[in-house]
Amino acid sequence: MKRLRQILTLVFSVITVMASAQQVNLQKTLDLFLDSSVKANNIPAISVVLIEDGKVIYRKTMGYANLEYKIPNTGQTAFQLASCTKLISATALMTLVQENKLDLQAKVRSYLPDLPAPWDDMRVMDLVAHQSGVADLLALKMNFKSVDEAYDTAVARKLDFAPGTKTVYAGGDYALVQKLVERITGLRFQEFLKQKLLLPLGMNHTVFNNMEQDYIYRTYDTIPYAATVYKNIKDENRQRIFSMMFPSWTYPAGGIFSSLDDLTKWVIAMDKGKLIRPELLDLMWTPAKRRDGTDSPFGVGWIVDKMNGEKVTGHSGGPALADIARLPGRKITSIVLTNQLELRPYLANQILRIYMRGK
C-alpha cells in the first residue's frame, strides 16, 4: 500500500509538472503572437482573455488606452464593442425567452400589432438573424432622433424582400428588436439591459455613451476608463483619433462600451449557467432556418460557423474594436479588444486555434 501511494504521488507530480509546462508554453506562444500582432498593426492597446468552462486560461492587457496622456490599458478599460454589442443584447433577450415573455418563432405582429399586413409572416427570429426584409435604415443616412422615428420610417417603407427568404446584414432589424423589447418590458432598452444583465453580473464598466449630434455639435457622456479609438496612418507612421457614432435607435446592435473584466464575468456566467439555462444558450447559437429550410449564418445575434469541423460562434465589431469567438461545445471563449480601427478581425479565432493545437 505504501509503494502504491508513492507511485500515485509520483504520477500526480509528473502530471502537475507537465500541466505547468504546458501552461507556460501556452503563455509564451500567445505572448509572442500578440507582440507580433501589435507591432505589425500598430495597435495602441489590446486586451485579451481566453476562458474555458468558467476558468481564465490566459489574460493579457497591453499598451495605452490613451496615447496623448499615456494612460495604461487595464482590465477595467472600456472599449467600444461596435457590432459585438449584439452578443450582449442577445444574451439579455434570452432572459425574456426564459421568462416566457418572448417566443422567437412567434410573429412580430403579435408583439407589435400596428405593423402593416405585408409583415404578417415576419418572425422574431427573422429580426435577430438578419432575415426580416426590413429596410436598411443606416443606408438611408437619416438623423433619427429616437427609436420611434426609426421605427415609423421602417414601417412606412416596403420590405426589401419576403421575411425569411434571404440573409442580409442590415441596419433596420435591430431597431424593431429595440421597439419590441421596450413594448414587452415597458423599459427603455438601456434600462432593460442594465436590469437583466449588467447589474446581476456586476458589469460596472459596460455602458453606452449616449452620443448625440446637432449640426456640427457632437456631445456624449463621459465614460470612466474609456479607451480612445485611433486610425493608423501607415504612410505617415502616426495615429489619428477616430470617433464612431451609434445613435440610440441602434443600441441593441452596436455602440456599447465594455471592459475585459466585465466581459469575463459575462462569459463565466454563460459557462456556469447562472443567468440562462444551457438549452436556451444552445438555442442562441443554433442557426436560424430560412423558409426554404436552409441554415442562416446567424443564430440569435451570434454568427454561427465551423472551425476544423466544429461549431464556432461569435461576432466582430469595428472592424476591429472587438472580436469574440466561442466554441460552445467545449465552453471555450476568446475575446480580443483593441482601439485600432485599421486592424481586421482575426485575432480571436487565431487565439482559439493556437490553444486548440496544444490540447
Coordinates of all heavy atoms in Angstrom, one line a residue, residues 54-107:
G54 N -15.6 28.4 -17.6 CA -15.6 29.2 -16.4 C -14.3 29.6 -15.8 O -14.3 30.3 -14.8
K55 N -13.2 29.1 -16.4 CA -11.9 29.4 -15.8 C -11.1 30.2 -16.8 O -11.0 29.9 -18.0 CB -11.1 28.1 -15.4 CG -11.8 27.3 -14.3 CD -11.0 26.1 -14.0 CE -11.7 25.3 -12.9 NZ -11.0 24.0 -12.6
V56 N -10.4 31.3 -16.3 CA -9.5 32.1 -17.1 C -8.2 31.3 -17.4 O -7.5 31.0 -16.5 CB -9.2 33.4 -16.5 CG1 -8.2 34.2 -17.3 CG2 -10.5 34.2 -16.4
I57 N -7.9 31.0 -18.7 CA -6.8 30.2 -19.1 C -5.6 31.2 -19.4 O -4.4 30.9 -19.1 CB -7.1 29.3 -20.3 CG1 -8.2 28.4 -20.0 CG2 -5.8 28.5 -20.7 CD1 -8.0 27.5 -18.8
Y58 N -6.0 32.3 -20.0 CA -4.9 33.3 -20.4 C -5.6 34.7 -20.3 O -6.7 34.8 -20.7 CB -4.4 33.0 -21.8 CG -3.5 34.0 -22.4 CD1 -2.1 33.8 -22.1 CD2 -3.9 35.0 -23.2 CE1 -1.2 34.7 -22.7 CE2 -3.0 35.9 -23.7 CZ -1.6 35.8 -23.5 OH -0.7 36.7 -24.0
R59 N -4.8 35.6 -19.9 CA -5.3 37.0 -19.8 C -4.1 38.0 -20.0 O -3.0 37.8 -19.4 CB -5.9 37.3 -18.4 CG -6.5 38.7 -18.3 CD -7.1 38.8 -16.9 NE -7.7 40.1 -16.6 CZ -7.1 41.2 -16.3 NH1 -5.7 41.2 -16.2 NH2 -7.7 42.3 -16.1
K60 N -4.3 39.0 -20.8 CA -3.2 39.9 -21.2 C -3.8 41.3 -21.5 O -4.8 41.4 -22.2 CB -2.5 39.4 -22.4 CG -1.2 40.2 -22.7 CD 0.0 39.7 -22.0 CE 1.3 40.3 -22.5 NZ 2.4 39.8 -21.8
T61 N -3.2 42.3 -20.9 CA -3.6 43.7 -21.3 C -2.2 44.4 -21.7 O -1.3 44.3 -20.9 CB -4.3 44.5 -20.2 OG1 -3.4 44.5 -19.0 CG2 -5.6 43.8 -19.8
M62 N -2.2 45.1 -22.8 CA -1.0 45.7 -23.3 C -1.3 47.1 -23.8 O -2.4 47.4 -24.2 CB -0.4 44.9 -24.4 CG 0.0 43.5 -24.1 SD 0.4 42.6 -25.6 CE 1.8 43.5 -26.2
G63 N -0.3 48.0 -23.7 CA -0.4 49.3 -24.4 C -1.1 50.4 -23.7 O -1.4 50.3 -22.4
Y64 N -1.5 51.4 -24.4 CA -2.1 52.6 -23.9 C -3.6 52.8 -24.3 O -3.9 52.7 -25.5 CB -1.3 53.8 -24.3 CG 0.1 53.9 -23.7 CD1 1.2 53.6 -24.4 CD2 0.2 54.2 -22.3 CE1 2.5 53.7 -23.8 CE2 1.5 54.3 -21.7 CZ 2.6 54.0 -22.5 OH 3.8 54.0 -21.9
A65 N -4.4 53.0 -23.4 CA -5.8 53.3 -23.7 C -5.9 54.7 -24.3 O -6.9 54.9 -25.1 CB -6.7 53.2 -22.4
N66 N -5.0 55.5 -23.9 CA -5.0 56.9 -24.5 C -3.5 57.3 -24.7 O -2.7 57.3 -23.8 CB -5.6 57.9 -23.5 CG -5.6 59.3 -24.0 OD1 -4.6 60.0 -23.9 ND2 -6.8 59.7 -24.6
L67 N -3.2 57.6 -26.0 CA -1.8 57.9 -26.3 C -1.4 59.3 -25.9 O -0.2 59.5 -25.6 CB -1.6 57.8 -27.9 CG -1.8 56.4 -28.4 CD1 -1.7 56.4 -29.9 CD2 -0.7 55.5 -27.9
E68 N -2.3 60.2 -25.9 CA -2.0 61.6 -25.6 C -1.5 61.8 -24.2 O -0.5 62.5 -23.9 CB -3.2 62.6 -25.8 CG -3.7 62.7 -27.2 CD -4.8 61.6 -27.5 OE1 -4.7 60.5 -27.2 OE2 -5.8 62.0 -28.1
Y69 N -2.1 61.1 -23.2 CA -1.8 61.2 -21.8 C -1.1 59.9 -21.3 O -0.8 59.8 -20.1 CB -3.0 61.5 -21.0 CG -3.6 62.8 -21.4 CD1 -4.8 62.8 -22.2 CD2 -3.1 64.0 -20.9 CE1 -5.3 64.0 -22.5 CE2 -3.7 65.2 -21.2 CZ -4.8 65.2 -22.0 OH -5.4 66.4 -22.4
K70 N -0.7 59.0 -22.2 CA -0.1 57.8 -21.9 C -0.8 57.0 -20.7 O -0.2 56.6 -19.7 CB 1.4 58.0 -21.5 CG 2.2 58.7 -22.6 CD 2.4 57.7 -23.8 CE 3.3 58.3 -24.8 NZ 3.4 57.5 -26.0
I71 N -2.1 56.9 -20.9 CA -2.9 56.2 -19.9 C -2.8 54.7 -20.2 O -3.2 54.2 -21.3 CB -4.3 56.6 -19.9 CG1 -4.4 58.1 -19.6 CG2 -5.2 55.9 -18.9 CD1 -5.8 58.8 -19.7
P72 N -2.3 53.9 -19.2 CA -2.2 52.4 -19.5 C -3.5 51.7 -19.7 O -4.5 52.1 -19.1 CB -1.5 51.9 -18.2 CG -0.9 53.1 -17.6 CD -1.8 54.3 -17.9
N73 N -3.5 50.7 -20.5 CA -4.7 49.8 -20.7 C -4.7 48.8 -19.5 O -3.7 48.2 -19.2 CB -4.5 49.1 -22.0 CG -5.6 48.1 -22.2 OD1 -6.7 48.2 -21.8 ND2 -5.2 47.0 -22.9
T74 N -5.9 48.6 -18.9 CA -6.1 47.7 -17.9 C -7.3 46.8 -18.1 O -8.0 47.0 -19.1 CB -6.2 48.4 -16.5 OG1 -7.5 49.0 -16.4 CG2 -5.2 49.5 -16.3
G75 N -7.6 45.9 -17.2 CA -8.7 45.1 -17.3 C -10.0 45.8 -17.2 O -11.1 45.3 -17.6
Q76 N -9.9 47.1 -16.7 CA -11.1 47.9 -16.5 C -11.3 48.9 -17.6 O -12.4 49.5 -17.7 CB -11.1 48.6 -15.2 CG -11.1 47.7 -13.9 CD -11.2 48.5 -12.6 OE1 -10.6 49.6 -12.6 NE2 -11.8 48.0 -11.6
T77 N -10.4 49.0 -18.5 CA -10.5 49.9 -19.7 C -11.7 49.5 -20.5 O -11.9 48.3 -20.9 CB -9.3 49.8 -20.5 OG1 -8.1 50.3 -19.7 CG2 -9.4 50.8 -21.7
A78 N -12.6 50.4 -20.8 CA -13.8 50.2 -21.6 C -13.6 50.5 -23.1 O -13.3 51.6 -23.4 CB -15.0 51.0 -21.0
F79 N -13.7 49.4 -23.9 CA -13.5 49.6 -25.3 C -14.9 49.6 -26.0 O -15.9 48.9 -25.5 CB -12.8 48.4 -25.9 CG -11.3 48.3 -25.5 CD1 -10.9 47.8 -24.3 CD2 -10.3 48.8 -26.4 CE1 -9.6 47.8 -23.9 CE2 -9.0 48.7 -26.0 CZ -8.6 48.2 -24.8
Q80 N -15.0 50.3 -27.1 CA -16.3 50.3 -27.9 C -16.4 49.0 -28.6 O -15.5 48.6 -29.3 CB -16.3 51.5 -28.8 CG -17.7 51.6 -29.5 CD -17.8 52.9 -30.3 OE1 -16.9 53.3 -31.0 NE2 -18.9 53.7 -30.1
L81 N -17.5 48.2 -28.4 CA -17.6 46.9 -28.9 C -18.2 46.9 -30.3 O -18.1 45.9 -31.0 CB -18.5 46.0 -28.0 CG -18.1 45.8 -26.6 CD1 -18.9 44.7 -26.0 CD2 -16.6 45.4 -26.5
A82 N -18.8 48.1 -30.8 CA -19.4 48.1 -32.1 C -20.4 47.0 -32.2 O -21.2 46.7 -31.3 CB -18.4 48.1 -33.2
S83 N -20.3 46.2 -33.3 CA -21.4 45.2 -33.6 C -21.3 44.0 -32.6 O -22.2 43.2 -32.6 CB -21.2 44.7 -35.0 OG -21.7 45.7 -35.9
C84 N -20.2 43.8 -31.8 CA -20.2 42.8 -30.8 C -21.3 43.1 -29.7 O -21.6 42.2 -28.9 CB -18.8 42.7 -30.1 SG -17.7 41.7 -31.1
T85 N -21.8 44.3 -29.7 CA -22.9 44.6 -28.8 C -24.1 43.6 -29.0 O -24.8 43.3 -28.1 CB -23.4 46.0 -29.1 OG1 -22.4 47.0 -28.9 CG2 -24.6 46.4 -28.2
K86 N -24.3 43.1 -30.2 CA -25.4 42.2 -30.5 C -25.3 41.0 -29.6 O -26.3 40.4 -29.2 CB -25.4 41.8 -32.0 CG -25.6 42.9 -33.0 CD -25.6 42.4 -34.4 CE -25.9 43.5 -35.4 NZ -24.7 44.5 -35.4
L87 N -24.1 40.5 -29.2 CA -24.0 39.3 -28.4 C -24.5 39.6 -27.0 O -25.1 38.7 -26.3 CB -22.5 38.9 -28.4 CG -21.8 38.7 -29.7 CD1 -20.4 38.1 -29.5 CD2 -22.7 37.9 -30.7
I88 N -24.2 40.8 -26.5 CA -24.7 41.2 -25.2 C -26.2 41.3 -25.2 O -26.9 40.9 -24.3 CB -24.1 42.5 -24.7 CG1 -22.5 42.5 -24.8 CG2 -24.6 43.0 -23.4 CD1 -21.9 41.5 -23.8
S89 N -26.7 42.0 -26.3 CA -28.2 42.2 -26.4 C -28.9 40.8 -26.5 O -29.9 40.6 -25.9 CB -28.5 43.0 -27.6 OG -27.9 44.3 -27.5
A90 N -28.3 39.9 -27.3 CA -28.9 38.6 -27.5 C -29.0 37.8 -26.2 O -30.0 37.2 -25.9 CB -28.1 37.8 -28.5
T91 N -28.0 38.0 -25.3 CA -28.0 37.3 -24.0 C -29.1 37.8 -23.2 O -29.8 37.1 -22.5 CB -26.6 37.5 -23.3 OG1 -25.6 37.1 -24.2 CG2 -26.5 36.6 -22.1
A92 N -29.3 39.1 -23.1 CA -30.4 39.7 -22.4 C -31.7 39.4 -23.0 O -32.7 39.1 -22.2 CB -30.2 41.3 -22.4
L93 N -31.8 39.3 -24.3 CA -33.0 38.9 -25.0 C -33.5 37.5 -24.5 O -34.7 37.2 -24.4 CB -32.8 39.0 -26.5 CG -34.1 39.1 -27.4 CD1 -34.7 40.5 -27.1 CD2 -33.7 38.9 -28.8
M94 N -32.5 36.6 -24.4 CA -32.8 35.2 -24.0 C -33.4 35.1 -22.6 O -34.1 34.2 -22.3 CB -31.6 34.3 -24.1 CG -31.1 34.2 -25.6 SD -32.4 33.6 -26.8 CE -32.6 31.9 -26.2
T95 N -33.2 36.2 -21.8 CA -33.9 36.2 -20.4 C -35.4 36.3 -20.6 O -36.1 35.7 -19.8 CB -33.3 37.3 -19.5 OG1 -33.7 38.6 -20.0 CG2 -31.8 37.2 -19.4
L96 N -35.8 37.0 -21.6 CA -37.2 37.2 -21.9 C -37.8 35.8 -22.4 O -39.0 35.5 -22.1 CB -37.5 38.3 -22.9 CG -37.1 39.7 -22.5 CD1 -37.4 40.7 -23.6 CD2 -37.9 40.1 -21.2
V97 N -37.0 35.1 -23.2 CA -37.4 33.8 -23.7 C -37.6 32.9 -22.5 O -38.6 32.1 -22.4 CB -36.4 33.3 -24.7 CG1 -36.8 31.8 -25.1 CG2 -36.4 34.2 -25.9
Q98 N -36.6 32.9 -21.6 CA -36.6 32.1 -20.4 C -37.9 32.4 -19.5 O -38.4 31.5 -18.9 CB -35.3 32.3 -19.6 CG -35.2 31.4 -18.4 CD -33.8 31.4 -17.9 OE1 -33.0 30.5 -18.2 NE2 -33.4 32.4 -17.1
E99 N -38.3 33.6 -19.5 CA -39.4 34.0 -18.7 C -40.7 33.8 -19.4 O -41.8 34.3 -18.9 CB -39.2 35.5 -18.2 CG -38.1 35.7 -17.3 CD -37.7 37.2 -17.2 OE1 -38.4 38.0 -17.8 OE2 -36.7 37.5 -16.5
N100 N -40.7 33.3 -20.6 CA -41.9 33.0 -21.4 C -42.6 34.3 -21.8 O -43.8 34.4 -22.0 CB -42.9 32.1 -20.7 CG -42.3 30.7 -20.5 OD1 -41.7 30.2 -21.4 ND2 -42.5 30.2 -19.3
K101 N -41.8 35.4 -21.9 CA -42.3 36.7 -22.3 C -42.1 36.9 -23.8 O -42.7 37.9 -24.4 CB -41.7 37.8 -21.5 CG -42.1 37.8 -20.0 CD -41.4 38.9 -19.3 CE -41.8 38.9 -17.8 NZ -41.1 40.0 -17.0
L102 N -41.3 36.1 -24.4 CA -40.9 36.3 -25.8 C -40.7 34.9 -26.4 O -40.1 34.0 -25.9 CB -39.6 37.0 -25.9 CG -39.1 37.3 -27.4 CD1 -40.0 38.2 -28.1 CD2 -37.7 37.8 -27.3
D103 N -41.3 34.7 -27.6 CA -41.2 33.5 -28.4 C -40.5 33.8 -29.7 O -41.0 34.6 -30.5 CB -42.6 32.9 -28.6 CG -42.6 31.6 -29.4 OD1 -41.5 31.2 -29.9 OD2 -43.6 31.0 -29.6
L104 N -39.4 33.2 -29.9 CA -38.6 33.6 -31.1 C -39.3 33.2 -32.4 O -39.0 33.8 -33.4 CB -37.2 32.9 -31.0 CG -36.3 33.4 -29.9 CD1 -35.0 32.5 -29.8 CD2 -35.9 34.8 -30.1
Q105 N -40.2 32.2 -32.3 CA -40.9 31.7 -33.5 C -42.2 32.4 -33.7 O -42.9 32.1 -34.7 CB -41.0 30.2 -33.5 CG -39.7 29.5 -33.5 CD -38.8 29.8 -34.6 OE1 -39.2 30.1 -35.7 NE2 -37.5 29.9 -34.3
A106 N -42.6 33.3 -32.8 CA -43.8 34.0 -32.9 C -43.8 35.1 -33.9 O -42.7 35.6 -34.2 CB -44.2 34.6 -31.5
K107 N -44.9 35.5 -34.5 CA -45.0 36.6 -35.4 C -44.6 37.9 -34.7 O -45.1 38.1 -33.6 CB -46.3 36.7 -36.0 CG -46.7 35.5 -36.9 CD -48.0 35.6 -37.6 CE -48.3 34.5 -38.5 NZ -49.6 34.7 -39.2

